[in-house]
Amino acid sequence: MTALDTSTPVAVVGAGTMGAGIAQVAALAGHPVRLHDTRPGAATQAIDGIRDSLRALAAKGRLDAGQAESAARALRAADALADLESCGLVIEAIVERLDAKAALFGALEAIVAPDCLLATNTSSIPVTAIGAGLRHPGRLGGLHFFNPAPRMPLVEIVSGLDTAPATAQVLADTAAAWGKTPVLTRSTPGFIVNRVARPFYAEGLRLLQERALDPATLDHVMRTCGGFRMGPCELTDLIGQDINAAVSRSVWAAFHHAPRFEPSLLQQELVDGGRLGRKSGRGFHDYRPGAPVPAPRLAAPQPYPETLSIHGDSPLAQALASRLQARGVAFDAAPAADDARVARAGDAVLYLTDGRSATRRARDLNRPATLLLDLALDPMTAACLPLAAARQCPEPERLEAVGLLQAAGFDVAPIQDAPGMVVMRTVAMLANEAADTVHQGVCSAADLDLAMRLGVNYPLGPLDWCDRIGADTIGTVLAHLRDSDGERYRPCAALQSAIHSGKPLHDA
Ligand code: NAD
């Protein structure tokens, strides 16, 4: 361990949301902390706020009272940059502008000792660019905390071209000593989390734009079928549509407008209309007092079909069989069929989506009553399953398919016939971005999955998820999506290599 000793004074520059949170974390870890802000009174005000929250945590029993008091005493406002002279680490959390950050570190070089480490909390500016004008850029690295810093466990340790490996190591060990989980990343656009998470928003927004389903149903499906903590609409409403759109635009621009990062017109319209989410009272959903809580659109109860069969032993087929059994519903257990069907109810035949629309699959199979099911994180326990029917599917067969799923205890979310459906399309694109990120040497496979679980609460890391489903399945889904929707869905080289080698992405 090369963590900084807790006697080392730590400076935080910028006493806004992030600076205050980081100062609290450093003080609680036992360091003397100096907080500086160019806005008069901002540092003192932030310290008062931190002390209040420390005392509130102690009052609720979530923090030892003695620890809260000593952290409160460890915080001091610094009126001038020159007051940071004795610090061993300076963490910058000022305005997100390259000129301001470069100027600040340039000024700090003339004040602090040669062995003082410099860290930036930037979420989008290349660390290489921030350090480019420094005399000793090797001591600068990114220390990317997530909001709120005291509660979020993840810290991305970002290395620019000139960051010395020893600097990254000390920053990582210090973050770990502060109770955080560090992951190492190179300074590429969006680092790990803000890059790999883009498809979670982008695919959901695209499905809304295609009118495949409405925002409340999308959120419900992503939670109750996909196992995500929040759906894309409620999450972007919480983050702020303007903030989320700005991050998407910056990653898109940084990747030279690659089609997979294309920003959403629908989101831009929300921003233009001032519907920024919770903070403005309305976004995708309405948060004004008395506004109704939007309900997902689920199918009305249907009678159980008279003839039911479950085909093969895929995870979805096994889950359907055991859920039917548990509810005492009789069915035939049939062997796997050539067309990869999962279940049959009367004339309705159900398949797991493979990235083709139900309509196209019905045509390819010459079977009008073709219906598709979405990917569930765990089909044994999922509360809800989206169902898409081919345009040529007659109404009685649609209702039989609904009846079958309801007999197995699922709420059924009928959606329009969108290729790749909802969870499968999102997970396939998350896995593709994750594989590409690791392939480009941005971070290790293990750190990528860890970052996505801790930074944005995903139920599984995207690489782990892909390995469970099978890279070949994800590759097929993407290839079909590419046929219907173009280059945006091109499987990356790393995913193709996993398919051909049969090796898990985690071994990449
Ligand atoms: P903020 O606007 O809440 O706070 C910024 C503070 O910096 C203000 O108090 C401002 O007066 C001060 N400041 C501006 N220029 C300064 C200078 N030259 N010297 C000293 N103080 C200066 O911003 P924030 O949300 O805390 O973000 C700060 C940084 O953290 C940004 O780089 C941002 O991208 C990054 N970040 C933000 C989040 C988030 O969710 N808010 C998450 C991760 C990273």
Side-chain angles (χ1 to χ4, degrees), residues 13-20 22 36-39 42 81 92-97 100-101 104 120-125 144-148 194 243:
V13 182
T17 311
M18 294 307 293
I22 296 166
H36 172 73
D37 199 294
T38 42
R39 198 157 40 88
L81 267 193
E92 166 277 310
I94 66 168
V95 58
E96 185 73 343
R97 269 192 6 233
K101 291 185 192 288
L104 170 68
T120 170
N121 187 48
T122 180
S123 30
S124 65
I125 302 174
H144 185 219
F145 285 83
F146 288 73
N147 188 15
N194 276 338
I243 305 281

Side-chain angles (χ1 to χ4, degrees), residues 224-293:
T224 60
C225 176
F228 289 92
R229 187 80 61 89
M230 294 175 95
C233 301
E234 54 197 346
L235 182 52
T236 50
D237 272 354
L238 181 68
I239 294 169
Q241 297 300 338
D242 51 341
I243 305 281
N244 188 260
V247 177
S248 294
R249 284 198 168 278
S250 106
V251 173
W252 182 53
F255 279 97
H256 306 296
H257 300 145
R260 67 188 192 280
F261 292 122
E262 195 175 278
S264 159
L265 294 176
L266 198 70
Q267 188 172 43
Q268 189 55 45
E269 193 182 7
L270 287 180
V271 175
D272 292 343
R275 298 197 186 189
L276 306 182
R278 283 182 178 271
K279 64 186 173 187
S280 71
R282 259 193 310 176
F284 280 112
H285 304 301
D286 192 340
Y287 302 92
R288 292 170 301 180
V293 177

